[in-house]
Amino acid sequence: MDAGESDSGMMMGMGMGMGVEEEGKDPDFKVFFFMKDVQVGKTIPVSFPHLKESDPARNLPRKTPTSLPFSLKALPSLLRFFSIPPASPQALAMEKTIITCEIERPGEYRACISSVESLTDFVGSIFGGDVRFEILRTSVATKTSPVLQNYTVVEVKEKTSTQTLPCHNLPYPYAVFYCHILMDTTNKMFKVTLRGENGAVVEGVLVCHMDTSKWNRNFYAFRQLGVEPGTTEACHFVPAYDMTVVLVPN
């Protein structure tokens, strides 16, 4: 397996809200779909986590909330500042987040952002300062809803955009999102209204990766869909704690 294949598996796993070591542990945990599965009137099993709309890790402030350094070298002082014991689960999570943000990945524009301001700067640095964008998010499921249940597809609307940027929420004392653009990839984006068996309605963001030829062939998606890399699309709902940035035509 080459580095590109390894990275693609890791980043897809991050997008599913799971570590690579967690992929495929539960065969009933339905994550990936074909486009034909998500059609109006069809019923599909989907897992939506319980989150709070006001969760600070989910919400991106207008401006970066702190001037603290963000680097592996500064980790000891950061742990002292946030009163987090070294070697604790929280400390290890912070370390992993910083490492993820500092690693260079060939063929990918990426940045770890902590505010709308830093997101605007990142998008502008790639596409120009006058570009407009929209942030899409899956709505939070109510706490009365089962984490996993059958949902009926009520409405599907494709979002047309020249480019999409997935942004993955990383564990940190304040909101940090890993936003990246993979070059030479083709995705389709949809807003999907779903109604659960208990009557709860979720507005989901569905991403369909149309070219999976460069993905790790051992990745969970292929085992679940029963296909080989590059033979078909792989679709999934963006978790509510992540977000997707789409460029808006001028």
Side-chain angles (χ1 to χ4, degrees), residues 92-104:
L92 294 176
M94 285 179 64
E95 180 181 29
K96 187 175 181 180
T97 289
I98 294 173
I99 290 173
T100 297
C101 292
E102 290 186 344
I103 288 177
E104 294 287 342

Side-chain angles (χ1 to χ4, degrees), residues 23-37:
E23 295 164 16
K25 279 188 177 179
D26 184 355
D28 296 323
F29 187 67
K30 183 72 171 176
V31 174
F32 290 93
F33 308 91
F34 298 113
M35 286 179 64
K36 64 181 178 62
D37 295 330

Side-chain angles (χ1 to χ4, degrees), residues 3-122:
E5 285 184 325
S6 176
D7 281 351
S8 69
M10 186 202 69
M11 292 314 302
M12 283 303 302
M14 186 185 296
M16 297 303 94
M18 64 180 78
V20 172
E21 69 280 357
E22 297 177 281
E23 295 164 16
K25 279 188 177 179
D26 184 355
D28 296 323
F29 187 67
K30 183 72 171 176
V31 174
F32 290 93
F33 308 91
F34 298 113
M35 286 179 64
K36 64 181 178 62
D37 295 330
V38 190
Q39 303 294 327
V40 173
K42 288 202 171 185
T43 298
I44 53 176
V46 189
S47 176
F48 290 114
H50 291 155
L51 298 173
K52 293 181 180 179
E53 286 284 2
S54 58
D55 187 339
R58 184 179 189 272
N59 293 291
L60 204 59
R62 178 62 52 183
K63 291 184 176 292
T64 301
T66 177
S67 58
L68 290 171
F70 186 86
S71 68
L72 204 55
K73 183 178 179 180
L75 183 59
S77 61
L78 289 168
L79 294 177
R80 288 193 297 270
F81 180 85
F82 290 112
S83 301
I84 295 175
S88 66
Q90 294 90 342
L92 294 176
M94 285 179 64
E95 180 181 29
K96 187 175 181 180
T97 289
I98 294 173
I99 290 173
T100 297
C101 292
E102 290 186 344
I103 288 177
E104 294 287 342
R105 293 187 175 87
E108 178 183 80
Y109 293 110
R110 90 290 183 276
C112 281
I113 60 103
S114 56
S115 66
V116 174
E117 184 178 60
S118 58
L119 175 60
T120 302
D121 290 343
F122 174 54

Side-chain angles (χ1 to χ4, degrees), residues 20 26 45-46 48 52-53 80 91 114 126 165 173 176 182-183 196-197 207 232 237-238 247:
V20 172
D26 184 355
V46 189
F48 290 114
K52 293 181 180 179
E53 286 284 2
R80 288 193 297 270
S114 56
I126 300 170
L165 293 75
V176 173
L182 294 172
M183 298 295 101
E197 292 174 311
V207 178
T232 185
F237 286 97
V238 177
L247 300 191

Side-chain angles (χ1 to χ4, degrees), residues 33 38 188-192 204-208 235-238:
F33 308 91
V38 190
K188 289 190 176 183
M189 184 81 53
F190 303 88
K191 287 285 288 183
V192 183
V205 178
L206 182 76
V207 178
C208 290
C235 303
H236 65 86
F237 286 97
V238 177

